[in-house]
Amino acid sequence: MAVERSSSTSSSSSSSSSSSSTTGGLIVVREFDPRKDRVGVEEVERRCEVGPSGKLSLFTDLLGDPICRVRHSPAFLMLVAELGGEIVGMVRGCIKTVTCGKKLCRNVKTNTSNYLKAPLPVYTKAAYILGLRISPSHRRMGIGLKLVREIEEWFRQNGAEYSYLATENDNQASVKLFTDKCGYSKFRTPSILVNPVFAHRVAVSKRVTIIELAPHDAVLLYRRRFATTEFFPRDIDSVLNNKLSLGTFLAVPRGRYGPGSWSGSAGFLANPPESWAVLSVWNCKDVFMLEVRGASRMKRTFVKTTRMVDKALPFLRLPSVPDVFKPFGLHFMYGLGGEGPQAVKMMRALCAHAHNLAKKRGCGVVATEVSSREPLRLAIPHWKMLSCAEDLWCIKRLGEDYSDGSVGDWTKSPPDSSIFVDPREF
């Protein structure tokens, strides 16, 4: 997940444009027009995806839809920078309402007739920047800075209080642009965990029962248990009912529920088992495809060999590498959570179930992103060579005239143990 992730036209934007001059001519920043800009945008994407010589590089195919990465957000915009009639850069942005903190203000009756203070979410309107691209031949001309300032102005006009983005920790050019020139501060360092999809099915613990929740049940469960998680989207119902959401799965101890005995999330939450876990799966394969380039013949041969052995002898359950040297899809696990002493075990069973779902649907990898402090991350299988131990999220307060409310300045808040990563922005 990086500033390089991206896409968009606007669901609530103006069609105005702005311009400034450089030594090379007049830079015009305007809204992306899918009728005339798609080819130019794809050319910039192609120029930016030139990997370092002799090293593996990951390339993204947006399947002919430059706005695919943000079009499922409540409000979104894509801007392009034009110089002499040529598109030389672009940026995407989207806005939503998310949890930025919590407050204690409701009395809740317990089983012992005592009353406790239950936390309630504090929401804010947050904007997300992604897919900033500048053509290599037009860098160091201030184009990136201008694009960021223009997208931030759209954020402000639409009431966003904060703007944030994700970039690789070692992408010094990106980090310097946002922290030194744009006023962002380093905020959170979650981990991107990626696991290959093997040729064999992964065994799911027989001591765990996995229940697929109906969307309305999933919404109720998330709102009741995870609404105070940082970055939780208030429109979680839109996420879970989206056509790209493949389902929400709940893991409970075997024997807790039998065929036909599930009565819904309300009954479950009124009397939950000692341990349980939940996650949802998002189908990124229908949005974009990935491809690894720059591999040596020896690496390609190794990958092919592991796959052949795994397919021929699936009962051995040998780890194998999918063919990542041609376009492949991924599933994204989101909304991970759980409670109880066996929650890690329950989550491990859910990850195995998600792997098997990805195998059935022809995906190459399964990925997720979690807080570096997430207690359940121990249950998430991943390969270090495919994962990013420390992604970097940067944040900026867009104005000082906002009320501090119950949370104060969110940019100065300490990290929680968990974050909610919206699959619409991965």
Side-chain angles (χ1 to χ4, degrees):
M1 198 169 164
V3 168
E4 304 294 317
R5 313 170 230 182
S6 49
S7 290
S8 60
T9 55
S10 153
S11 59
S12 57
S13 66
S14 66
S15 57
S16 61
S17 64
S18 65
S19 61
S20 63
S21 61
T22 69
T23 56
L26 189 67
I27 300 172
V28 176
V29 174
R30 58 174 175 79
E31 185 175 342
F32 167 74
D33 184 342
R35 295 169 297 176
K36 65 178 183 179
D37 295 336
R38 186 178 60 83
V39 173
V41 165
E42 289 178 347
E43 177 61 19
V44 174
E45 295 276 5
R46 186 190 64 79
R47 291 177 185 173
C48 291
E49 291 192 332
V50 177
S53 177
K55 294 185 179 180
L56 294 178
S57 301
L58 184 64
F59 294 80
T60 305
D61 180 358
L62 300 180
L63 304 179
D65 181 10
I67 64 168
C68 63
R69 302 288 286 277
V70 291
R71 69 161 60 253
H72 296 280
S73 295
F76 57 91
L77 175 70
M78 177 172 179
L79 297 176
V80 297
E82 200 172 41
L83 181 61
E86 177 189 2
I87 293 178
V88 295
M90 58 271 201
V91 69
R92 290 90 163 177
C94 53
I95 303 173
K96 62 183 178 181
T97 301
V98 302
T99 297
C100 63
K102 54 190 172 184
K103 58 184 178 181
L104 299 176
C105 66
R106 181 191 293 169
N107 288 325
V108 175
K109 188 176 181 180
T110 68
N111 293 332
T112 59
S113 297
N114 294 321
Y115 285 83
L116 298 175
K117 292 285 188 178
L120 289 176
V122 176
Y123 291 107
T124 189
K125 209 167 186 180
Y128 183 62
I129 296 176
L130 70 165
L132 177 62
R133 305 274 191 172
I134 307 299
S135 178
S137 59
H138 293 84
R139 290 172 183 170
R140 293 185 172 85
M141 296 173 60
I143 297 174
L145 179 59
K146 183 168 180 58
L147 282 167
V148 171
R149 285 176 174 169
E150 291 294 329
I151 200 78
E152 286 181 345
E153 181 57 30
W154 179 74
F155 293 159
R156 291 187 183 92
Q157 290 175 3
N158 285 273
E161 296 186 60
Y162 296 93
S163 173
Y164 73 105
L165 60 107
T167 187
E168 292 94 343
N169 224 341
D170 57 358
N171 187 340
Q172 294 303 315
S174 175
V175 174
K176 188 173 182 179
L177 169 66
F178 284 100
T179 59
D180 292 357
K181 297 183 179 180
C182 298
Y184 286 75
S185 56
K186 297 179 180 181
F187 190 56
R188 302 290 183 256
T189 54
S191 301
I192 301 175
L193 306 178
V194 182
N195 205 46
V197 176
F198 308 129
H200 64 269
R201 288 175 56 84
V202 174
V204 178
S205 173
K206 295 182 178 180
R207 297 183 178 181
V208 176
T209 295
I210 295 179
I211 302 167
E212 182 173 0
L213 302 183
H216 68 275
D217 260 345
V219 170
L220 177 61
L221 178 62
Y222 277 117
R223 287 199 188 283
R224 292 273 186 90
R225 277 295 198 267
F226 304 109
T228 57
T229 302
E230 196 172 46
F231 289 98
F232 180 84
R234 190 159 66 178
D235 67 332
I236 185 64
D237 54 329
S238 296
V239 179
L240 296 171
N241 283 289
N242 191 287
K243 63 181 180 180
L244 295 174
S245 191
L246 299 178
T248 298
F249 305 95
L250 176 71
V252 296
R254 181 163 295 280
R256 176 73 183 199
Y257 295 100
S261 64
W262 172 257
S263 58
S265 289
F268 169 80
L269 291 170
N271 184 29
E274 183 182 32
S275 298
W276 57 274
V278 66
L279 64 73
S280 299
V281 179
W282 187 266
N283 179 22
C284 294
K285 184 182 178 184
D286 286 354
V287 179
F288 60 86
M289 299 288 280
L290 301 172
E291 181 180 354
V292 175
R293 298 180 187 171
S296 65
R297 181 177 295 180
M298 183 174 67
K299 288 179 179 177
R300 289 174 177 270
T301 301
F302 170 74
V303 166
K304 185 177 181 180
T305 301
T306 64
R307 199 69 175 179
M308 290 174 60
V309 172
D310 195 4
K311 283 184 176 181
L313 306 169
F315 56 89
L316 293 180
R317 303 187 185 278
L318 298 174
S320 61
V321 184
D323 187 358
V324 294
F325 306 123
K326 63 181 182 181
F328 65 93
L330 71 84
H331 281 176
F332 183 71
M333 301 185 299
Y334 68 100
L336 285 70
E339 296 177 358
Q342 297 296 314
V344 168
K345 173 185 174 181
M346 301 292 166
M347 181 57 65
R348 191 172 291 119
L350 288 175
C351 289
H353 180 76
H355 170 280
N356 295 338
L357 178 63
K359 179 183 181 299
K360 180 180 179 181
R361 298 178 65 92
C363 285
V365 299
V366 178
T368 191
E369 185 163 16
V370 296
S371 168
S372 56
R373 300 153 55 95
E374 172 59 59
L376 295 176
R377 66 173 292 164
L378 295 174
I380 304 169
H382 63 281
W383 283 14
K384 288 185 178 180
M385 68 177 69
L386 301 176
S387 304
C388 174
E390 195 172 89
D391 198 20
L392 176 62
W393 288 14
C394 298
I395 196 169
K396 174 182 180 178
R397 198 176 192 187
L398 292 175
E400 297 302 324
D401 55 340
Y402 298 115
S403 168
D404 280 347
S406 304
V407 177
D409 185 350
W410 190 20
T411 68
K412 296 179 174 59
S413 65
D416 284 337
S417 59
S418 300
I419 57 173
F420 192 103
V421 180
D422 195 323
R424 297 173 295 188
E425 298 169 0
F426 186 79

